Amino acid sequence: MKLLFASNNQGKVREVKDILKDLGVEVVTPDEVFDGPRDVEETGDTFEANAFLKAKAMGDESGLLTIADDSGLIVDALHGEPGVYSARYESTDEKRVAKILKNMQGIAEKQRTARFVSVMCVYDPKALECHYCRGVVEGTITHKTMGNDGFGYDPIFFSTDLQKTFAQASMAEKNTISHRKRALEQAKNYLVNKYASNARLDTAGF
Ligand code: ITT
């Protein structure tokens, strides 16, 4: 059975393939399924709305059971920015990270709290059903970049659980507690209950 992970972000793809490796599905990506990447306009103002837009567009086009992730970094001292606009905050990861660090200059340690949020939309294009899962992980914003692993905002997100930035953690460590892992654990339970308990994992025709 194929499951489409509807993302063009290779950092997300690596993590999701690892987290779902024991689910017994073949996780495929837009570039493997279509003749090129699909860019879905993210016009929603919630994580749920944008996850749905991506899952529905690519699920309908492929006919595959599809999961899309809309995620972002919420910084309390910046009134929740960049939040749902995390990908559009600046044009590159480097510029996005630099902008946060600049906007956080002079902010005291106690006020540097932040969290990553991931909302997954599981979309079944045959039944026209969707299901949402949300994962959250807490941390603080560092004063400078630390670490070289991961992607996006990882070098400035100091994880409360790991006591290091996500870019200082290995992918395996990040995947034990991340927002994405927490959302996908719920998605896994949903999929197993819905499709496996009545043996439809093999017979659904996906
Ligand atoms: P897709 O829509 O194709 O999945 P995207 O990168 O545009 O890829 P989003 O619209 O969900 O994804 O934007 C999320 C933004 O938040 C983006 O800039 C990511 O790099 C960042 N982000 C999300 N999860 C992250 C994580 O685990 N570590 C670091 N940055 C993350």
Side-chain angles (χ1 to χ4, degrees):
M1 173 180 169
K2 283 187 179 174
L3 186 150
L4 173 62
F5 180 58
S7 173
N8 302 316
N9 182 320
Q10 293 313 309
K12 287 185 186 180
V13 168
R14 271 194 303 278
E15 292 179 5
V16 167
K17 284 193 167 174
D18 181 59
I19 294 165
L20 294 183
K21 63 179 183 286
D22 55 2
L23 189 60
V25 293
E26 184 191 348
V27 178
V28 292
T29 52
D31 50 313
E32 293 169 300
V33 170
F34 308 122
D35 47 13
R38 287 293 177 272
D39 246 331
V40 179
E41 224 196 322
E42 298 185 33
T43 50
D45 53 13
T46 62
F47 293 116
E48 280 77 6
N50 287 330
F52 174 74
L53 287 171
K54 291 184 269 193
K56 170 133 179 72
M58 293 192 234
D60 283 345
E61 185 176 352
S62 66
L64 296 172
L65 184 63
T66 299
I67 298 185
D69 164 301
D70 201 62
S71 44
L73 179 65
I74 293 175
V75 182
D76 292 324
L78 303 180
H79 312 290
E81 280 188 12
V84 75
Y85 305 105
S86 291
R88 289 161 278 174
Y89 200 48
E90 267 295 344
S91 54
T92 65
D93 277 347
E94 289 69 28
K95 287 184 185 171
R96 289 189 270 271
V97 161
K99 185 169 173 180
I100 302 258
L101 288 177
K102 182 164 173 283
N103 290 344
M104 292 295 283
Q105 268 171 14
I107 306 276
E109 214 50 56
K110 271 193 147 170
Q111 267 90 54
R112 301 183 75 88
T113 48
R115 63 205 55 79
F116 269 124
V117 173
S118 161
V119 170
M120 300 278 172
C121 176
V122 183
Y123 176 66
D124 177 338
K126 298 209 164 94
L128 291 176
E129 285 174 357
C130 66
H131 179 81
Y132 297 95
C133 307
R134 177 179 274 249
V136 181
V137 65
E138 300 288 335
T140 53
I141 301 300
T142 54
H143 294 267
K144 57 180 173 60
T145 60
M146 294 161 74
N148 299 309
D149 280 339
F151 66 95
Y153 297 98
D154 282 345
I156 55 167
F157 183 80
F158 188 87
S159 160
T160 307
D161 296 292
L162 299 178
Q163 287 294 302
K164 56 174 112 171
T165 70
F166 270 176
Q168 290 172 315
S170 65
M171 184 178 74
E173 284 175 307
K174 181 180 171 186
N175 280 353
T176 59
I177 51 96
S178 77
H179 48 313
R180 192 157 290 109
K181 161 74 170 180
R182 288 172 177 165
L184 279 176
E185 278 308 313
Q186 298 163 42
K188 269 187 189 176
N189 287 338
Y190 170 77
L191 287 170
V192 167
N193 285 332
K194 190 166 168 64
Y195 296 105
S197 58
N198 59 9
R200 281 180 54 197
L201 255 189
D202 295 322
T203 57
F206 285 109

